[in-house]
Amino acid sequence: MCKAVLSAVAILLTLYVTVVSGNYLPKTLLECFDHKVENSHEGVALARDLQKHCLDMFLHPTIKRNMTTDEVNYLQSIFRKIISESNHGSRVKRRTKLLEVFPKRIRREVRDPMSNWPKYSAAVRRLKFDMSGGTGTSRYDTIADLHRIAIDEAHGGPNFCPWHRLYLLIFETACGIAIPFWDSSIDFEMADPTESKIWTEDYFGNGFGEVESGPFSGFDTPIGPLIRNIGSDGSLFQKTGILRLLSKRRFAEINVGTSPDGENLEDQHGQVHIWCDGQMNNLERSPFDPVFWSHHCFVDYIWELFRTRQKSLGINPATDFIPTNITGQSPNDEARGITGYLNVDGYSNRIAKLVEYKLTPSCPKCSNSDALHCDRAKQMCIADDRTVNSYVGHQEDAVKIANKYGLSNGNHGPAFNLMYRDARVRVDSVTLVYRIVRQTSKKLYYGLPHQTKKSYYRVPYTYKGTFQKRLSVTKWY
């Protein structure tokens, strides 16, 4: 075990404090880490000593939420697992910012036979029902709840992609296996995306009502049983939208607040949350549906494709940050809970190198998946329909549970912002509050309470049934 590994532990521990602490760490904590690394010898025991000595001095006083000692110890154990996996580490010049000692995680599309979906979903289930802490909170729920704590610093600005990239690494390490990504644009191209085989017991489980099939059946959340209401509103990712993102050059051109509404990555990702509905359309609690992790892996995949394109254009994505007035998200601000570091460190190429993405399935083989087929007319892979015997669930149960637990009235925080909708959606979300904004003799048109008629009529990019090829960027997708 080299000193570089000890430095990696220091960064991981301070990353942990980033998402659970309300205050910045004192400089003496980083000085403690540096001193331990500088004066240590080789050995795992010394890495553990670094954790115990420094954390015992500074961690507990900085926690600003009701986290039990067991939860703290569990999150520390995640970092110890990373130490045990770090035999393939590399040397870097800057000792105190070493992040390259992790083994590389290889992420593939969920339906790729090599994605290890059965093993991954089994790991998620084990995590969900691991109550070994004796506190009544599962190991899964401990990690999922971190999202609620960092809402303001992780959404609505330039920190969206960097923060969620780190969050995925935390969950992935706890599972002990790479997270497969869900390319929902594959499902979007179906005649009816709600018929996709992805919403069966082989993958995510039923898409309507309480989740009672598949690896995530019986999952409970702080806001009731896990429910879904797929195809209710919003939209899945669209290839045309992704290609628009990948045609840009600068991060500011795909970032919310510095690019047009609906044209940025965060807005496009939010429409998928809305389309899934249930807990997935709750900003604070969405990680309690395991679909969250595969969806966000695809968001991260798109960002990495964008960064790869930037490099080909001579742009360094590690320095392509965005000035902002949002508290806690400016590149010149200290990263929350990591004194001496800036938010711009989240753009690091070293972090990006921890993960390898295999390209999303493409024609003619579509990764040899039994859940995909190649549409030769469109020259793209499209999801297969589920069989007629597949359990679908009961949509009425989603309505009842949402009403019972207050998901339908915003009692548990906001839903994601509806920016546009697929024309095929039903407009019957159980987590959005609708109002009639226009009425004709044949049809009612629904919007959201905060929308005016003018803004509703500008809702863009509804489905038109076509795929626009852009030869200059298709090689990146």
Side-chain angles (χ1 to χ4, degrees):
M1 184 71 65
C2 63
K3 293 182 181 179
V5 174
L6 299 181
S7 292
V9 179
I11 296 301
L12 286 166
L13 296 175
T14 51
L15 167 61
Y16 160 68
V17 181
T18 299
V19 291
V20 300
S21 171
N23 295 330
Y24 295 128
L25 291 176
K27 290 184 179 180
T28 45
L29 178 55
L30 290 180
E31 290 170 358
C32 176
F33 288 147
D34 288 343
H35 176 77
K36 280 286 180 182
V37 171
E38 189 66 31
N39 295 282
S40 67
H41 303 287
E42 312 266 328
V44 174
L46 287 163
R48 292 175 178 169
D49 178 61
L50 182 148
Q51 296 179 77
K52 178 174 176 53
H53 179 79
C54 297
L55 278 184
D56 285 351
M57 290 176 62
F58 300 107
L59 179 59
H60 295 280
T62 66
I63 295 177
K64 290 300 183 182
R65 78 176 187 97
N66 188 24
M67 178 174 284
T68 66
T69 300
D70 175 74
E71 287 179 299
V72 173
N73 292 338
Y74 170 64
L75 290 172
Q76 290 183 38
S77 75
I78 293 177
F79 303 130
R80 287 196 292 271
K81 289 179 182 178
I82 294 173
I83 295 172
S84 68
E85 296 171 359
S86 61
N87 295 328
H88 304 291
S90 303
R91 295 181 181 178
V92 293
K93 293 182 179 179
R94 297 190 65 187
R95 171 176 46 80
T96 59
K97 289 194 177 183
L98 173 67
L99 291 167
E100 200 172 346
V101 297
F102 301 98
K104 182 165 289 187
R105 292 122 164 108
I106 299 178
R107 297 174 181 167
R108 294 178 169 88
E109 213 279 335
V110 167
R111 290 158 285 202
D112 185 325
M114 296 183 66
S115 71
N116 288 317
W117 171 258
K119 291 183 179 179
Y120 164 76
S121 57
V124 172
R125 188 170 184 85
R126 284 196 299 270
L127 207 62
K128 179 65 177 179
F129 292 99
D130 182 353
M131 300 290 186
S132 58
T135 62
T137 299
S138 75
R139 299 312 196 190
Y140 182 103
D141 292 356
T142 295
I143 298 173
D145 200 41
L146 296 180
H147 192 260
R148 176 180 60 86
I149 300 168
I151 287 294
D152 293 338
E153 292 77 21
H155 301 84
N159 232 19
F160 170 72
C161 287
W163 189 89
H164 283 87
R165 172 164 287 190
L166 299 174
Y167 191 39
L168 290 172
L169 287 174
I170 293 172
F171 184 73
E172 194 168 60
T173 301
C175 289
I177 188 170
I179 305 172
F181 64 85
W182 172 38
D183 180 354
S184 62
S185 72
I186 291 175
D187 306 273
F188 178 85
E189 295 296 333
M190 300 175 66
D192 181 358
T194 66
E195 295 288 328
S196 173
K197 193 175 181 180
I198 200 79
W199 302 107
T200 67
E201 62 182 7
D202 293 334
Y203 295 102
F204 294 155
N206 55 288
F208 294 100
E210 184 174 350
V211 178
E212 299 175 311
S213 69
F216 313 132
S217 62
F219 275 30
D220 201 4
T221 80
I223 49 179
L226 179 59
I227 61 171
R228 300 173 184 144
N229 185 34
I230 59 174
S232 60
D233 214 328
S235 175
L236 298 175
F237 268 112
Q238 305 179 31
K239 295 190 187 301
T240 50
I242 295 170
L243 292 176
R244 282 195 299 272
L245 294 172
L246 298 181
S247 69
K248 308 300 184 182
R249 293 172 56 88
R250 294 291 183 178
F251 187 47
E253 296 178 89
I254 67 168
N255 175 69
V256 67
T258 54
S259 61
D261 290 345
E263 286 286 321
N264 57 75
L265 183 53
E266 187 172 350
D267 279 348
Q268 289 192 30
H269 119 280
Q271 309 319 296
V272 182
H273 278 273
I274 296 170
W275 190 91
C276 294
D277 210 11
Q279 281 85 357
M280 268 288 280
N281 193 28
N282 182 278
L283 186 61
E284 295 184 357
R285 306 293 187 172
S286 51
F288 285 89
D289 187 337
V291 172
F292 171 95
W293 307 105
S294 292
H295 169 50
H296 268 273
C297 258
F298 187 57
V299 174
D300 192 71
Y301 169 82
I302 295 171
W303 188 38
E304 191 56 31
L305 290 179
F306 177 81
R307 288 164 58 94
T308 301
R309 172 171 157 78
Q310 283 189 302
K311 293 175 184 177
S312 74
L313 298 172
I315 300 170
N316 183 2
T319 58
D320 186 29
F321 50 83
I322 305 169
T324 179
N325 293 323
I326 302 175
T327 302
Q329 294 204 30
S330 171
N332 295 321
D333 287 343
E334 289 184 321
R336 188 183 182 197
I338 310 178
T339 300
Y341 293 86
L342 305 179
N343 283 331
V344 67
D345 292 329
Y347 297 70
S348 169
N349 289 323
R350 293 188 299 277
I351 283 287
K353 289 179 181 178
L354 302 181
V355 172
E356 178 183 347
Y357 280 107
K358 297 299 183 181
L359 291 177
T360 195
S362 60
C363 283
K365 294 185 177 181
C366 296
S367 299
N368 295 314
S369 173
D370 62 1
L372 305 172
H373 67 274
C374 176
D375 186 316
R376 297 190 181 277
K378 294 182 177 181
Q379 276 300 297
M380 66 177 65
C381 297
I382 297 179
D384 290 340
D385 287 350
R386 56 179 171 79
T387 63
V388 293
N389 295 324
S390 298
Y391 180 69
V392 180
H394 305 283
Q395 186 183 15
E396 60 271 20
D397 290 347
V399 177
K400 293 177 182 177
I401 293 173
N403 289 335
K404 178 179 179 180
Y405 288 91
L407 275 76
S408 58
N409 56 21
N411 282 353
H412 302 286
F416 287 80
N417 291 325
L418 178 65
M419 306 305 300
Y420 56 89
R421 56 167 57 110
D422 182 336
R424 299 167 294 181
V425 298
R426 301 182 305 276
V427 196
D428 61 0
S429 170
V430 299
T431 52
L432 298 177
V433 181
Y434 294 107
R435 68 180 179 86
I436 298 174
V437 295
R438 183 162 66 93
Q439 183 174 3
T440 68
S441 59
K442 296 182 179 180
K443 191 171 183 179
L444 298 176
Y445 293 81
Y446 295 95
L448 297 178
H450 66 274
Q451 291 179 308
T452 64
K453 289 185 179 181
K454 185 177 180 180
S455 67
Y456 175 73
Y457 295 144
R458 292 204 304 270
V459 172
Y461 310 127
T462 52
Y463 177 69
K464 294 182 173 59
T466 60
F467 172 60
Q468 304 170 7
K469 269 193 174 181
R470 297 190 182 187
L471 296 179
S472 60
V473 295
T474 50
K475 64 181 180 179
W476 299 109
Y477 180 71

